[in-house]
Amino acid sequence: MYKLPITNDISEMEHLEEFVNEMAEAFNLADDFKFQLGLALDEAVANVVMYAYPDKEGMPIHIEADGEQGKKLIIRIIDEGVEFNPLAEAPEVDTDATTEDREIGGLGIFLVKESMDDVQYERKDGKNILTMTKNLL
């Protein structure tokens, strides 16, 4: 299992690129899979950094990755912040609307769902756990 502990400081997001590169090498990801993984991870972690811990700094965010070589990659983002199920609570995105007519919010979660094959949320032991799975077949 691969782990990346960060805090809810936006500057910590720079560690994600190295983590994605490590996953790409370990799981022999094609460039398009690597791009999709990076996009999903950036969007999901940015939401946690910005919203999980209102008015608190230095709070933990744990990113874990594991899977089966050549079959699937599973990424978990775990925080102890405010309970929030982005799959149920993020606004729906009208992809047919123009930029001017589109409601603010929800685009990040939309991109996560589009980039990954499965996205699940659970609240367990006071933690938000977002699990993203990418099939590599």
Side-chain angles (χ1 to χ4, degrees):
M1 179 175 297
Y2 299 87
K3 297 182 180 188
L4 175 65
I6 63 172
T7 65
N8 64 326
D9 183 324
I10 199 73
S11 68
E12 298 248 342
M13 300 259 321
E14 67 187 35
H15 300 295
L16 293 178
E17 183 178 358
E18 183 179 325
F19 189 72
V20 168
N21 288 337
E22 186 178 351
M23 294 305 96
E25 186 174 325
F27 287 87
N28 197 28
L29 299 181
D31 286 343
D32 59 332
F33 282 169
K34 180 180 172 182
F35 174 80
Q36 291 170 351
L37 173 62
L39 177 65
L41 201 53
D42 278 350
E43 293 295 338
V45 172
N47 280 341
V48 175
V49 167
M50 293 187 296
Y51 304 116
Y53 301 103
D55 304 320
K56 293 182 182 176
E57 296 179 8
M59 302 304 292
I61 301 168
H62 301 279
I63 304 165
E64 303 174 350
D66 59 11
E68 297 177 54
Q69 183 70 34
K71 293 186 179 178
K72 67 181 173 181
L73 177 61
I74 302 166
I75 305 282
R76 286 178 202 81
I77 302 169
I78 304 163
D79 69 80
E80 299 170 17
V82 174
E83 183 173 356
F84 180 73
N85 179 349
L87 305 176
E89 299 178 48
E92 287 294 318
V93 175
D94 182 356
T95 56
D96 294 326
T98 65
T99 305
E100 295 82 25
D101 293 336
R102 189 175 298 143
E103 294 288 325
I104 294 175
L107 190 57
I109 293 303
F110 172 80
L111 292 172
V112 168
K113 291 193 277 189
E114 287 294 307
S115 298
M116 303 303 282
D117 293 305
D118 186 53
V119 183
Q120 300 291 321
Y121 168 85
E122 70 176 317
R123 179 79 176 183
K124 185 176 180 182
D125 300 327
K127 297 176 183 173
N128 295 302
I129 305 168
L130 187 69
T131 303
M132 306 182 299
T133 302
K134 184 68 179 170
N135 295 324
L136 305 176
L137 302 172

